[in-house]
Amino acid sequence: MDSDKTALVLGIETTCDETAAAVVERKGDGSGRILSNVVRSQTEEHARFGGVVPEIAARAHVDLLDGIIDRAMKDAGLGYEQLSAVAAAAGPGLIGGVIVGLTTAKAIAMVHNTPLIAVNHLEAHALTPRLTTALAFPYCLFLASGGHTQIVAVAGVAQYVRLGTTVDDAMGEAFDKVAKMLGLPYPGGPQVERAAEAGDAMRFAFPRPMLGRADANFSLSGLKTAVRNEASRLTPLEPRDISDLCASFQAAVLESTADRLSVGLKLFEEIYGPPRALVAAGGVAANRAIRGALQDIAAKAETTLIIPPPALCTDNGAMIAWAGAERLALGMLDTMEAPPRARWLLDANAGVPAGYANSRAGF
Ligand code: KG4
Ligand code: ZN
């Protein structure tokens, strides 16, 4: 594959509760442009269950995906024969949805004789800042969403070292669970953020998980339990209690995040030297208080903070198309045998320096 050529890639995302397709262009100089980006969130379908129901998500992907791909192609003004490749998120995620997206991509690849690229969803988050910014490797990624909480060294395409991860709940999941126990609607992150604005962060001294530890891992379930215990002690909850609980919870998350990231950045420097940037992605990066804390952490580490625009931080098709385009430029194609994967470690095949490999399996 000639990496100097301009490539047009269709990307498909179905690993969780967003059905999404997009077309991006990658020029030979490495710059990117989004030609279309269609996202249909299934929030309404799942809201009354207080979380994502895998069977409902898979069914919704089946119903929606063809129309969304059609829309993305029309918005881009392209025919399938003009595509350089089709990319799909092949995991990690809810297996039913992953199968729907990957099978659809394989069908398109087969019918139109187009190369197929099976993208790791986490890799797509990791490479997204290069779609909108001329960012060189290596950089440090903080990914915090409903399913993932990781600190990752991004050394190149397909060169990732996971420096830290959560040992229990994902950060967005903790926000969602706290919201649920306080009677706030799903998805809970934005609700907790809003309630926290009016609250007193000093009223409850919740634990700051993992503070001072030499590794860069996160833990959120103990904090979540502490909030639950305090909430049941106070029941029935007044609006004031809810605000104070949210503010105190968020303050604990902020302090823990700052501590974990400062260790992560130190580990990064030991391997690669100073990072070109600290990059944040995932739904939690939409939280203004967390963005503020990240700004401080980046300033202390004397690096730049890059947060892609919100629509590219949360799950979308453009990030899958872009990761596909980056792989295509390096000739990294997949075959029709590419498997859908519920679990797929980002650094599974990377040369992880001794002592930095994190043994915990998972996303
Ligand atoms: O990246 P995302 O859209 O989807 C995946 O989970 O992959 O992230 C959604 C998560 C949810 O858990 C949601 O509650 C959380 O991100 N989130 C937030 C905020 N906005 C979304 N968490 C805290 N504060 C927010 N403002
Ligand atoms: Zn995601």
Side-chain angles (χ1 to χ4, degrees):
M1 176 74 205
D2 181 2
S3 65
D4 293 339
K5 272 196 344 214
T6 292
L8 295 167
V9 180
L10 168 67
I12 297 171
E13 161 59 38
T14 53
T15 62
C16 191
D17 61 342
E18 267 89 29
T19 314
V23 179
V24 305
E25 177 188 68
R26 185 184 184 280
K27 294 227 174 67
D29 64 5
S31 64
R33 192 162 67 95
I34 297 173
L35 303 188
S36 65
N37 194 14
V38 186
V39 182
R40 165 68 163 75
S41 176
Q42 304 169 8
T43 309
E44 276 165 35
E45 282 89 334
H46 301 285
R48 68 193 174 95
F49 301 101
V52 178
V53 183
E55 290 77 11
I56 294 178
R59 174 57 56 112
H61 289 308
V62 170
D63 292 344
L64 296 166
L65 187 57
D66 285 352
I68 283 175
I69 292 173
D70 194 45
R71 185 74 262 153
M73 293 299 291
K74 286 206 173 92
D75 286 357
L78 294 176
Y80 287 95
E81 70 288 350
Q82 290 170 277
L83 292 175
S84 317
V86 53
L94 301 173
I95 195 68
V98 173
I99 290 171
V100 174
L102 184 58
T103 308
T104 305
K106 284 179 180 175
I108 294 171
M110 224 181 300
V111 170
H112 300 282
N113 200 19
T114 305
L116 171 77
I117 299 160
V119 168
N120 180 311
H121 176 93
L122 302 175
E123 169 174 52
H125 277 301
L127 295 175
T128 298
R130 286 166 51 84
L131 166 59
T132 48
T133 314
L135 175 63
F137 301 115
Y139 54 86
C140 187
L141 171 75
F142 172 53
L143 173 62
S145 69
H148 322 286
T149 305
Q150 302 194 351
I151 303 173
V152 179
V154 183
V157 176
Q159 294 175 48
Y160 313 103
V161 175
R162 197 173 55 162
L163 301 170
T165 187
T166 178
V167 298
D168 41 56
D169 291 349
M171 197 172 278
E173 185 185 0
F175 270 90
D176 293 337
K177 286 180 176 168
V178 164
K180 196 172 180 180
M181 69 180 78
L182 300 179
L184 301 171
Y186 174 86
Q191 305 284 336
V192 171
E193 180 180 8
R194 200 166 313 135
E197 279 164 18
D200 174 6
M202 309 285 276
R203 178 162 163 208
F204 305 105
F206 290 135
R208 271 57 174 154
M210 314 295 262
L211 215 64
R213 278 179 55 136
D215 64 61
N217 288 337
F218 293 78
S219 167
L220 290 139
S221 78
L223 170 59
K224 176 194 67 189
T225 304
V227 178
R228 174 171 290 125
N229 291 344
E230 198 59 52
S232 34
R233 200 180 61 79
L234 291 171
T235 300
L237 296 172
E238 301 292 329
R240 177 85 250 156
D241 297 328
I242 293 174
S243 295
D244 293 347
L245 286 165
C246 287
S248 302
F249 163 76
Q250 194 170 277
V253 171
L254 287 185
E255 202 175 323
S256 175
T257 300
D259 179 68
R260 307 293 67 220
L261 268 175
S262 70
V263 176
L265 284 163
K266 210 162 65 208
L267 296 178
F268 184 104
E269 285 220 40
E270 283 171 17
I271 313 175
Y272 300 103
R276 300 289 182 107
L278 171 64
V279 172
V284 181
N287 183 296
R288 280 183 300 272
I290 287 177
R291 293 167 92 100
L294 293 175
Q295 200 73 58
D296 295 345
I297 295 159
K300 264 198 206 117
E302 294 178 1
T303 191
T304 317
L305 176 68
I306 296 178
I307 307 182
L312 295 179
C313 271
T314 54
D315 292 349
N316 65 86
M319 71 183 200
I320 306 299
W322 177 250
E326 294 252 61
R327 292 183 85 87
L328 180 69
L330 297 171
M332 302 166 98
L333 304 179
D334 291 280
T335 68
M336 288 296 150
E337 276 71 55
R341 305 195 206 190
R343 289 180 169 251
W344 187 358
L345 286 179
L346 188 53
D347 55 4
N349 302 314
V352 182
Y356 293 102
N358 198 301
S359 60
R360 203 185 153 85
F363 297 170

